[in-house]
Amino acid sequence: RKDVWALAATPHRLAGPVLTLPQIDLGTSLPSRNAEALYWMGRHAEAAETAIRVVQTISAELGETPELATDAGGAWVAMFSASLRWTFEAPRTPGEFPVHRARRATAPGDGALPPPILRRVLVDDSIPRSLVGSLAELLDASLSARELVSTHTGQVLAMLEDRLDALRSASSPAEIEEIAGATLINLMALVGLSAESMVRDPGYLVSDIGRRLERARLLVRILLETLVPVPDPDIAGLTH
């Protein structure tokens, strides 16, 4: 069998009907219950990931330079542990953010958080935005959005539920650190699935807004706690 090509005398352009898609109505395409759930899923996932990363960073520095825990009366540990004060605050809506003033969140004389805060931020249910607190809120919010997420996302959420139970029952620091590291991988998988598998519809936009808003808020809060115009002489001496 051979193909036969019929040549036209002039170039011929195929033309089809022009499709015009209507503008998406956010108010009708996504129920408010689902929108709120996806928004808070994004925020709680970002808060949980940030808590793990801050604790891991401080722990790694203390592991490499143990004298930071005692030199200058523990000034270095006190300053960087203060970057976790946000975990003691309940999550707020955008209208409650004090964006009209930029000041250091920890005023002199507030007192330093003790070193055990690194462990408490991971496993203490009494801290509103601890790792276990954020995971519990994330899983609770996901119950109102299960019909909007993929099967693989549901599997990651189930793994996060297992991590939450493991964190609550863990006792040794090494066990807590190991579970927190595994939880971070699951949280990264959750973000990756959202970025690669979700259709760029209003649901994705709401979830992404929540995640990026929380990341920006926590970044500013951590910078307010750790950046000072004139560093304490004792702390400055530890960097030379």
Side-chain angles (χ1 to χ4, degrees):
R1 180 190 298 181
K2 295 184 178 180
D3 294 330
V4 177
W5 295 83
L7 301 179
T10 58
H12 184 68
R13 179 177 297 176
L14 296 177
V18 178
L19 298 179
T20 302
L21 299 177
Q23 176 65 39
I24 296 177
D25 185 352
L26 293 176
T28 59
S29 63
L30 183 66
S32 59
R33 178 179 66 90
N34 296 140
E36 183 177 9
L38 290 170
Y39 168 79
W40 283 109
M41 283 180 64
R43 286 194 58 183
H44 291 310
E46 190 66 31
E49 182 176 338
T50 302
I52 298 175
R53 291 187 183 277
V54 173
V55 170
Q56 285 183 339
T57 300
I58 297 175
S59 299
E61 289 295 326
L62 291 174
E64 294 180 2
T65 315
E67 56 269 24
L68 288 176
T70 55
D71 286 353
W76 186 91
V77 174
M79 184 177 75
F80 281 94
S81 293
S83 65
L84 291 166
R85 288 185 185 275
W86 59 269
T87 59
F88 287 80
E89 303 170 356
R92 292 182 280 185
T93 60
E96 297 175 308
F97 292 158
V99 294
H100 62 283
R101 55 181 179 178
R103 61 177 179 84
R104 192 159 185 246
T106 305
D110 281 353
L113 294 173
I117 189 62
L118 299 182
R119 190 184 310 172
R120 290 186 59 204
V121 163
L122 298 179
V123 298
D124 193 340
D125 271 303
S126 67
I127 300 178
R129 310 222 72 188
S130 64
L131 174 57
V132 293
S134 293
L135 286 179
E137 294 288 351
L138 165 62
L139 294 170
D140 185 62
S142 71
L143 296 177
S144 298
R146 287 299 175 97
E147 67 271 20
L148 300 178
V149 300
S150 66
T151 302
H152 291 104
T153 301
Q155 293 173 347
V156 173
L157 291 171
M159 295 176 67
L160 286 173
E161 189 171 2
D162 293 338
R163 303 296 186 200
L164 176 59
D165 294 336
L167 283 168
R168 284 172 170 166
S169 60
S171 55
S172 67
E175 184 181 8
I176 294 173
E177 181 180 352
E178 181 181 357
I179 298 172
T183 303
L184 178 60
I185 295 176
N186 296 143
L187 289 169
M188 294 169 63
L190 187 66
V191 174
L193 283 170
S194 175
E196 297 296 332
S197 301
M198 285 189 70
V199 178
R200 295 320 192 249
D201 60 0
Y204 169 83
L205 295 178
V206 170
S207 176
D208 193 54
I209 287 172
R211 185 172 60 84
R212 293 181 182 275
L213 175 64
E214 188 69 12
R215 176 177 297 182
R217 190 182 77 87
L218 294 181
L219 175 61
V220 171
R221 182 62 190 274
I222 291 171
L223 289 176
L224 286 173
E225 294 284 6
T226 55
L227 296 184
V228 293
V230 180
D232 186 287
D234 293 328
I235 301 177
L238 296 176
T239 62
H240 298 296

